[in-house]
Amino acid sequence: MAGLATFIDVIIPIAIPNLLTYRVPRELEALVGIGHRVIVPLGKNKLQTAIVVKVHTEPPAKYEAKYVEALLDDVAVVSNQQIKFWMWMADYYMCTAGEVAASALLSSLKLASETKLVLREGYRDLDTNELTDREFLVIEALEVKGELEIKDVNEITGIKTVHPLIKRLMEKGFITTLEELKEKYTPKTADFLILSDKAKDEHWLEQVINDLERRAPKQLDLLFAYFREDPDRLGVNKVKLQKMAGVDASVARKLEEKDILRIETRVIDRMPVFDGEMELSKSLSEDQSRALEETKAHFETQEVVLLHGVTGSGKTEVYIKLIEEAVAQGRQVLYLLPEIALTTQLISRLRVHFGDKIGVYHSKFNSNERLETWRRAMIPGGYDVIIGARSSLFLPFRDLGLIIVDEEHESSFKQYDPAPRYNGRDAAIVLGKLYNAKVLLGSATPSIESFYNATNGRYGLVTLTRRHGNMVMPEIQCADVRKETKRKTMRSHFTSFLVEQIEQTLKNEKQIILFQNRRGYAPLWQCRTCGWVPQCTRCDVSLTYHKRDHHLSCHYCGYTQQPPGKCEACGSYDLKSVGFGTEKIEEDLTAMFPKARIARMDLDTTRSKHAYHEILTAFDQGDIDILVGTQMVTKGLDFEHVALVGVLNADQMLHFPDFRSFERAFQLMTQVAGRAGRKHERGNVIIQTYQPDHFVILKVMEHDYHGMYEQELRERRKYHYPPFMRLIKLNCRHKDETYLKEGVGVLASMLREKFGDRVIGPETPYVARINNYYHRNILLKIEREASTIKFKEILRSVLDAFHGDADRRTIRIQPDVDPM
């Protein structure tokens, strides 16, 4: 009796609601396992990469299982913990497992299915006289190359639309298509020089050296450099050796021609090798030692600890000690940061302690570099410490023992689009449970939710209330923009008070950070006669003026246009920029302080791969006097000579329509203030505002986190917001505004039948139209003690019923669990 057939359930990295089941061919049954990549058919002609999540013998009840086409890997590329993590994320954040896999898997691990053209077997028996000249060219090219892509046919025939021609060749029986899968990963290689077998004869080599001494001194220099660098005769990087010897590539070729050295191409790591001197970690202060011991004591009984340490208190040194202990136990550490800019500065601090055992993982690295980090994270002897942004949660760790979430309050840990819309901090806590790892949350300004969990015993709580080295917290002062505007003492967008402080700081040869949370030159390009402002053609927002490129840009969809010289409403030619962004600040500072060295750090200046590193290194080395930036400059950066920090527009943060606006304003201002006076002298911080008596401003000036927390907690309890309630936001969108409004009204009614007054809305968001889609939001509030699993089950059933009506299927609904 033949054995039972083997089936697998797979996740395909696209937005398919269910797992799909495929049948495994007999020859692959003993090879396929959980976490392997397989190639499976999907639809009529497409092939897809899929991840195996279950192997079993139960055929699907509702359809006939197709056969697996191929097995791609000898070993699993995804671990059991990762698969459990994906499934939890899909369930909790109300998306599909395929969407999680699409976000988690590198493009190098997802194979592209491309249409290839090949000659049909027996085509030589057909009559070529019926072919046109262009058709004949394609057949000739296929005879030479064997296969062609569509773009190749374009080039060969010189015509743009080749599909009719291809169709004719297929109908005539000359060609067919072949779905070919192409690996995207390309290893990085380098040439190495190694001593030839012939040169291992010492007598022969001695004669060669004597000959080179007389005739080719440069070749001899390279050969001697090789002997110095490669005593074990394992090979030396060719480019590195040529630089050391001061010769070019032709010299190495000559030695190869003479069979003295041979050139060998090897696969190498893309990550730069650490060649500096290793250092022991610093001795901790009394406060830091206490915090370390308290943290370890909490970890004895609790999985998560919150380290609440004021800016400059030395939290990083505590982290390093914990990392050392985890690595000494043979376990891995994940160090999560909200901004790529922070990884740039932190990596140099940690590499002197851990050398090449540190890997870095974030979106600025290309796919090949990230794949190498992926592989070295899962193998014995690979990376012990991974530093990265939220996407590094998806790496296949071999034995994760500690997760550090630095600046845990940051909204940058939240993934907004596309799905899964997860919070990196919260997901890290779940990942820690799957690996039996401890999780340390660190911040000078913890989120309300985290601090609430810590003060209620759900997390351990450790505090550092003093700056390292007994440095005094910076002095924070207000500059009243309203008063200075009346007195006409403003200089552009700077109060006279701030300008005086900048002048004094430059005179003292200290550095300055200026924070303005808006990039570009100006937020508005406005007619001074009638007030008309150019709007994005696809979004309900005004266009931001970028002076360097002289264009108006939408920061939501990317639409750009030239600034109009004439008002489209009244016809006036009197148009100008209104407001100010980081680009305008940079220009004004250059005019006011021509001798100062000024740089800007925002999304526009950090698009290139190494831009963060170059700007921060220049600032750290004192090559920049004034650094102007957006939120990037507020997050955990540590500079020795920053004496002054300026917040240029505090009111913009205070009046954003969100229940978290006061909390975020306090966090941003406190964090950027914390960049001042960290090493030597007390720092100075100036906040420009129209409301110097505002509650949040006063709490920032007093360094009073607890006062802000207590006030916010009272408001949240009164109006039923986190941490007392859980939130799910349903973002609904459609290109027809009226259709959307009517449909969402029906959805809200259906939800109220199930959830009553827990349903808020529908409401029009701050920006009602983005990229030609109109948006409406519905907010659901869930009591903390309620079962979120049951709540989501009911919610899914309502959404399924809503989309079950054919008239409503075109309305897109995106659940956002725990929106930020």
Side-chain angles (χ1 to χ4, degrees):
M1 179 179 173
L4 293 173
T6 301
F7 295 88
I8 56 172
D9 293 344
V10 301
I11 298 175
I12 298 176
I14 55 178
I16 297 176
N18 300 326
L19 302 182
L20 293 180
T21 302
Y22 288 87
R23 185 168 177 176
V24 182
R26 292 290 182 187
E27 64 271 18
L28 296 180
E29 287 182 348
L31 303 175
V32 71
I34 293 173
H36 285 88
R37 287 185 304 162
V38 292
I39 300 300
V40 296
L42 185 68
K44 289 186 178 180
N45 301 310
K46 291 295 181 183
L47 299 176
Q48 287 281 352
T49 306
I51 301 294
V52 180
V53 297
K54 186 179 179 182
V55 182
H56 57 91
T57 57
E58 292 294 325
K62 301 293 179 70
Y63 57 90
E64 184 178 350
K66 297 179 181 179
Y67 276 93
V68 171
E69 292 282 337
L71 175 65
L72 288 177
D73 308 295
D74 296 329
V75 296
V77 297
V78 177
S79 67
N80 281 326
Q81 289 96 330
Q82 282 179 288
I83 292 171
K84 290 176 183 177
F85 186 53
W86 293 2
M87 301 307 287
W88 168 82
M89 189 170 279
D91 182 62
Y92 186 81
Y93 289 104
M94 300 188 69
C95 61
T96 67
E99 287 173 311
V100 178
S103 181
L105 285 174
L106 297 171
S107 59
S108 305
L109 296 173
K110 295 177 287 188
L111 301 183
S113 178
E114 299 175 352
T115 301
K116 298 281 187 178
L117 304 176
V118 294
L119 290 165
R120 190 184 292 273
E121 188 176 351
Y123 80 95
R124 293 183 185 277
D125 299 332
L126 301 174
D127 184 7
T128 56
N129 291 324
E130 62 178 287
L131 297 178
T132 65
D133 290 343
R134 282 174 172 158
E135 290 171 354
F136 194 81
L137 284 174
V138 174
I139 300 301
E140 283 188 321
L142 282 169
E143 286 178 331
V144 174
K145 293 187 176 182
E147 61 186 34
L148 295 173
E149 294 181 11
I150 301 295
K151 63 180 181 180
D152 298 327
V153 181
N154 292 129
E155 294 172 2
I156 292 165
T157 60
I159 57 178
K160 186 176 180 181
T161 306
V162 296
H163 293 83
L165 182 149
I166 293 169
K167 182 182 177 185
R168 290 196 301 271
L169 282 171
M170 293 177 70
E171 290 171 348
K172 293 174 183 178
F174 282 86
I175 66 172
T176 186
T177 63
L178 173 69
E179 289 291 343
E180 180 172 300
L181 296 158
K182 184 188 294 181
E183 273 279 11
K184 293 183 178 179
Y185 173 65
T186 306
K188 184 177 181 179
T189 59
D191 288 338
F192 281 72
L193 293 174
I194 192 165
L195 198 66
S196 69
D197 292 337
K198 193 174 182 180
K200 292 175 183 177
D201 182 327
E202 292 185 5
H203 179 68
W204 182 86
L205 184 61
E206 187 177 346
Q207 291 179 325
V208 167
I209 291 173
N210 290 333
D211 185 56
L212 292 178
E213 193 171 15
R214 293 193 308 272
R215 301 185 180 188
K218 286 189 176 181
Q219 293 176 36
L220 186 62
D221 289 343
L222 183 61
L223 185 59
F224 281 163
Y226 168 78
F227 288 140
R228 288 193 303 271
E229 288 299 308
D230 193 21
D232 298 324
R233 306 296 183 259
L234 299 175
V236 185
N237 186 288
K238 177 173 169 280
V239 174
K240 179 182 177 182
L241 197 65
Q242 287 169 177
K243 287 181 179 178
M244 291 179 62
V247 300
D248 58 29
S250 64
V251 178
R253 283 198 300 272
K254 292 291 183 183
L255 289 175
E256 184 185 27
E257 290 168 5
K258 294 176 180 177
D259 201 15
I260 301 168
L261 296 177
R262 60 186 175 87
I263 299 175
E264 184 179 285
T265 301
R266 299 177 182 175
V267 175
I268 62 170
D269 271 344
R270 284 179 162 81
M271 302 304 294
V273 176
F274 177 73
D275 53 7
E277 291 188 14
M278 301 287 284
E279 296 178 6
L280 296 174
S281 57
K282 297 177 183 177
S283 297
L284 299 184
S285 69
E286 183 180 339
D287 285 347
Q288 290 171 324
S289 297
R290 175 190 52 77
L292 176 64
E293 294 307 315
E294 287 182 8
T295 300
K296 291 194 290 185
H298 281 301
F299 278 152
E300 294 293 326
T301 57
Q302 292 176 293
E303 303 299 320
V304 184
V305 174
L306 173 65
L307 176 56
H308 178 203
V310 298
T311 56
S313 58
K315 294 186 290 295
T316 304
E317 295 303 325
V318 177
Y319 299 158
I320 290 172
K321 289 291 186 183
L322 289 166
I323 293 170
E324 286 177 340
E325 292 185 14
V327 171
Q329 295 167 8
R331 307 200 71 186
Q332 289 176 294
V333 178
L334 172 60
Y335 196 137
L336 280 180
L337 293 160
E339 284 285 353
I340 296 170
L342 291 181
T343 66
T344 301
Q345 191 176 55
L346 183 67
I347 189 70
S348 58
R349 290 183 67 179
L350 293 190
R351 270 202 146 187
V352 298
H353 301 298
F354 304 102
D356 290 327
K357 290 297 184 180
I358 289 186
V360 186
Y361 191 86
H362 55 64
S363 61
K364 287 293 182 182
F365 289 127
N366 63 41
S367 180
N368 289 336
E369 289 168 326
R370 280 182 282 166
L371 181 59
E372 287 179 9
T373 303
W374 179 287
R375 288 175 172 168
R376 288 192 64 178
M378 67 190 302
I379 61 171
Y383 290 132
D384 290 329
V385 184
I386 303 288
I387 300 174
R390 62 176 181 263
S391 59
S392 53
L393 288 165
F394 294 118
L395 287 169
F397 301 97
R398 63 180 182 274
D399 186 12
L400 190 60
L402 174 66
I403 303 175
I404 296 170
V405 186
D406 201 12
E407 310 296 343
E408 66 84 28
H409 65 278
E410 277 291 343
S411 59
S412 302
F413 279 123
K414 175 71 174 179
Q415 163 78 10
Y416 290 100
D417 225 18
R421 294 169 181 82
Y422 66 99
N423 185 307
R425 175 199 64 212
D426 299 341
I429 293 172
V430 174
L431 187 69
K433 290 179 181 177
L434 291 173
Y435 281 92
N436 194 26
K438 303 298 183 182
V439 180
L440 180 63
L441 312 178
S443 178
T445 54
S447 65
I448 299 294
E449 291 92 330
S450 292
F451 200 72
Y452 180 79
N453 286 332
T455 54
N456 283 277
R458 187 175 178 186
Y459 303 162
L461 177 62
V462 178
T463 59
L464 280 168
T465 57
R466 292 184 294 185
R467 280 191 155 187
H468 184 63
N470 292 320
M471 284 299 301
V472 181
M473 294 294 288
E475 181 183 6
I476 303 177
Q477 303 174 76
C478 267
D480 193 330
V481 178
R482 181 175 48 194
K483 285 183 179 179
E484 292 223 15
T485 302
K486 287 181 180 178
R487 295 172 183 168
K488 298 184 179 179
T489 54
M490 294 287 293
R491 292 182 61 182
S492 182
H493 301 287
F494 300 87
T495 59
S496 60
F497 181 45
L498 180 56
V499 172
E500 289 168 7
Q501 295 298 315
I502 293 174
E503 289 174 342
Q504 187 60 48
T505 304
L506 292 173
K507 189 181 296 183
N508 295 338
E509 298 183 346
K510 297 292 185 180
Q511 291 175 300
I512 300 158
I513 291 177
L514 297 178
F515 167 57
Q516 166 61 2
N517 204 21
R518 190 188 294 274
R519 65 185 175 97
Y521 187 83
L524 299 175
W525 184 261
Q526 189 174 52
C527 172
R528 298 178 68 178
T529 304
C530 72
W532 173 79
V533 173
Q535 300 285 310
C536 176
T537 59
R538 302 192 287 250
C539 309
D540 287 343
V541 293
S542 59
L543 296 172
T544 300
Y545 177 52
H546 291 254
K547 189 173 183 179
R548 179 179 177 181
D549 302 317
H550 190 58
H551 69 227
L552 297 174
S553 173
C554 174
H555 290 176
Y556 283 85
C557 72
Y559 167 81
T560 61
Q561 70 172 59
Q562 289 294 306
K566 179 181 178 180
C567 176
E568 295 182 10
C570 70
S572 170
Y573 291 94
D574 189 7
L575 290 91
K576 73 164 189 173
S577 60
V578 177
F580 63 101
T582 50
E583 191 181 5
K584 176 73 162 62
I585 296 300
E586 183 184 26
E587 180 184 89
D588 290 347
L589 288 169
T590 303
M592 287 191 283
F593 307 102
K595 294 182 179 180
R597 296 164 297 176
I598 302 163
R600 174 164 51 96
M601 192 165 82
D602 55 24
L603 186 62
D604 298 319
T605 62
T606 57
R607 294 187 189 276
S608 66
K609 180 176 179 178
H610 300 293
Y612 287 105
H613 178 73
E614 291 166 359
I615 294 171
L616 294 176
T617 299
F619 193 64
D620 194 35
Q621 294 176 350
D623 297 329
I624 297 170
D625 299 315
I626 306 175
L627 180 62
V628 181
T630 54
Q631 288 190 42
M632 294 178 186
V633 300
T634 71
K635 301 173 182 180
L637 298 173
D638 186 10
F639 298 110
E640 189 171 350
H641 301 293
V642 175
L644 175 65
V645 166
V647 178
L648 299 179
N649 187 0
D651 305 296
Q652 176 189 338
M653 296 178 276
L654 294 171
H655 298 298
F656 192 79
D658 186 271
F659 76 92
R660 286 193 174 94
S661 60
F662 285 0
E663 177 190 4
R664 286 188 179 146
F666 178 91
Q667 289 166 340
L668 276 171
M669 285 186 272
T670 299
Q671 288 287 341
V672 73
R675 303 314 108 207
R678 297 174 70 92
K679 299 290 183 182
H680 304 296
E681 300 171 3
R682 187 183 188 189
N684 190 18
V685 180
I686 296 172
I687 299 174
Q688 291 192 160
T689 176
Y690 284 88
Q691 305 171 82
D693 297 325
H694 194 284
F695 156 74
V696 174
I697 302 284
L698 294 175
K699 292 302 175 186
V700 172
M701 293 173 66
E702 296 164 3
H703 305 285
D704 186 7
Y705 171 82
H706 288 87
M708 183 280 298
Y709 169 77
E710 293 296 339
Q711 174 67 20
E712 278 294 288
L713 209 60
R714 286 192 290 271
E715 294 291 313
R716 304 279 181 92
R717 183 181 285 110
K718 181 178 179 181
Y719 294 107
H720 308 294
Y721 281 103
F724 304 104
M725 304 286 281
R726 298 181 186 273
L727 303 180
I728 299 177
K729 182 174 75 174
L730 301 179
N731 174 250
C732 311
R733 56 180 179 147
H734 196 274
K735 291 189 174 183
D736 186 316
E737 185 178 16
T738 303
Y739 179 81
L740 175 67
K741 186 176 180 180
E742 292 173 355
V744 173
V746 172
L747 176 60
S749 297
M750 293 171 67
L751 290 168
R752 284 194 175 90
E753 288 179 10
K754 299 291 185 180
F755 302 120
D757 59 4
R758 297 181 184 88
V759 181
I760 310 297
E763 297 174 338
T764 303
Y766 184 66
V767 179
R769 181 172 62 105
I770 299 175
N771 214 2
N772 285 327
Y773 278 90
Y774 291 92
H775 290 248
R776 301 274 285 178
N777 291 336
I778 297 175
L779 189 66
L780 304 174
K781 294 183 176 182
I782 315 168
E783 296 85 351
R784 277 277 166 183
E785 58 274 12
S787 168
T788 56
I789 296 174
K790 184 65 176 176
F791 193 98
K792 288 173 186 173
E793 284 178 2
I794 298 171
L795 176 56
R796 287 189 184 97
S797 68
V798 172
L799 295 179
D800 288 343
F802 178 78
H803 279 137
D805 188 326
D807 291 337
R808 303 180 192 132
R809 286 176 190 164
T810 54
I811 295 178
R812 299 186 187 183
I813 302 174
Q814 296 176 338
D816 185 3
V817 179
D818 302 332
M820 293 286 285

